[in-house]
Amino acid sequence: RPVTVVFLPSSANPMVWGHPWVLMLSAELLKADVAVLRVQGFIDYKKVKPEDLVSSEDRHMLGRRSVNELLWPAVKYTNLGSEAGSKIEGFEEMFNLLKMNRGRKLRMVYLLSTENEERILKYLNQQYVMFKQYGHLMDAKRHEIAVGWIQRGEYGANLTVEELQRLHDQVRANLEETGVLHSDDPMLHMELLKHPDIDLKISSTLQRTLFQQGNAAARALSPSFFYNY
């Protein structure tokens, strides 16, 4: 049978307990074999104040320590993204991981949160474009890619499998109509990951805000390595 891998990309700026929590709970819901945390290299895909931005070298060092000393063997760390100057984002990096495992049956589940409909439509479009661009790196006969949409906020709590599939089909149809995709191009599979405890309602932004306010609660949101740094 294929090995099921859940793959969570994270800026880890800083890592908060919500990151490994959703990764491990998603792995449990999917009955996955492996849970992989990938830390972003240079962050330019979202706005972060310069004073809040930690170098990729330090974020990878702290992420590796957190996994190896606190989360192993439930979570595995990959050093993909730690290369000097790397700006590769998570979905593209996933294909590099698949390339390293050609010849092995793999079902890769890429994790993203469901905050609103616009986010789902945006990322599905991006992912299909990247699939078209980097799909040659994977083993088409042995690899399968799914997107695991994690419950987040009120929208995520109310989202249904049927609605998620409708959004996917809408994006797929539009891309085929505009010639970006062809009907015989590979399909992204959808997984909706819902659980009463999956949304901890914490984020890196919240941790940074509490820390800057001198709120002691900031310490509880991150592994000690990150907070002490």
Side-chain angles (χ1 to χ4, degrees):
R1 66 172 178 84
V3 173
T4 298
V5 179
V6 286
F7 183 85
L8 178 68
S10 171
S11 64
N13 191 60
M15 180 191 292
V16 293
W17 286 115
H19 295 137
W21 172 248
V22 297
L23 176 56
M24 291 187 289
L25 186 49
S26 296
E28 172 63 22
L29 293 172
L30 293 166
K31 303 303 179 187
D33 301 285
V34 183
V36 176
L37 176 70
R38 185 265 184 181
V39 175
Q40 175 66 25
F42 183 77
I43 301 172
D44 63 354
Y45 62 95
K46 61 180 179 180
K47 293 181 179 179
V48 180
K49 295 178 181 179
E51 61 268 27
D52 291 337
L53 191 59
V54 178
S55 71
S56 60
E57 293 82 4
D58 287 348
R59 284 184 287 106
H60 268 273
M61 177 271 292
L62 294 165
R64 182 171 58 251
R65 282 194 65 188
S66 297
V67 169
N68 292 344
E69 298 182 31
L70 300 174
L71 303 170
W72 176 269
V75 174
K76 297 181 184 297
Y77 160 84
T78 174
N79 63 359
L80 290 173
S82 66
E83 304 85 358
S86 174
K87 294 184 179 181
I88 297 174
E89 294 186 23
F91 198 78
E92 178 185 348
E93 195 79 271
M94 177 185 63
F95 287 100
N96 291 324
L97 186 58
L98 288 169
K99 181 182 178 182
M100 296 165 62
N101 287 275
R102 293 180 69 90
R104 178 176 294 172
K105 289 185 178 181
L106 282 181
R107 184 172 192 264
M108 186 74 71
V109 184
Y110 183 88
L111 299 180
L112 272 174
S113 60
T114 57
E115 296 170 11
N116 52 59
E117 180 177 310
E118 292 73 22
R119 176 180 171 85
I120 294 176
L121 294 174
K122 170 189 173 182
Y123 278 104
L124 280 175
N125 272 284
Q126 287 184 4
Q127 289 161 353
Y128 264 120
V129 171
M130 288 188 179
F131 203 168
K132 186 76 171 180
Q133 186 174 359
Y134 301 108
H136 65 280
L137 297 176
M138 62 187 285
D139 188 330
K141 294 182 178 179
R142 297 177 177 85
H143 292 166
E144 176 186 316
I145 297 176
V147 182
W149 295 97
I150 304 166
Q151 174 187 336
R152 186 77 179 270
E154 183 178 356
Y155 176 82
N158 294 321
L159 184 64
T160 64
V161 172
E162 293 75 17
E163 174 63 8
L164 177 60
Q165 191 61 48
R166 184 191 70 78
L167 294 174
H168 166 271
D169 294 346
Q170 174 185 322
V171 170
R172 176 80 191 203
N174 289 339
L175 291 173
E176 289 184 11
E177 287 176 10
T178 55
V180 176
L181 294 178
H182 300 290
S183 58
D184 58 348
D185 283 332
M187 190 77 69
L188 287 172
H189 302 273
M190 299 292 103
E191 294 279 1
L192 182 58
L193 302 170
K194 301 180 74 172
H195 187 279
D197 298 322
I198 201 167
D199 185 3
L200 296 183
K201 298 179 174 62
I202 61 175
S203 65
S204 298
T205 302
L206 175 62
Q207 198 276 352
R208 292 196 302 268
T209 300
L210 293 176
F211 181 82
Q212 291 162 359
Q213 294 173 347
N215 191 320
R219 177 182 292 274
L221 298 187
S222 291
S224 59
F225 309 125
F226 282 85
Y227 184 87
N228 293 334
Y229 174 90

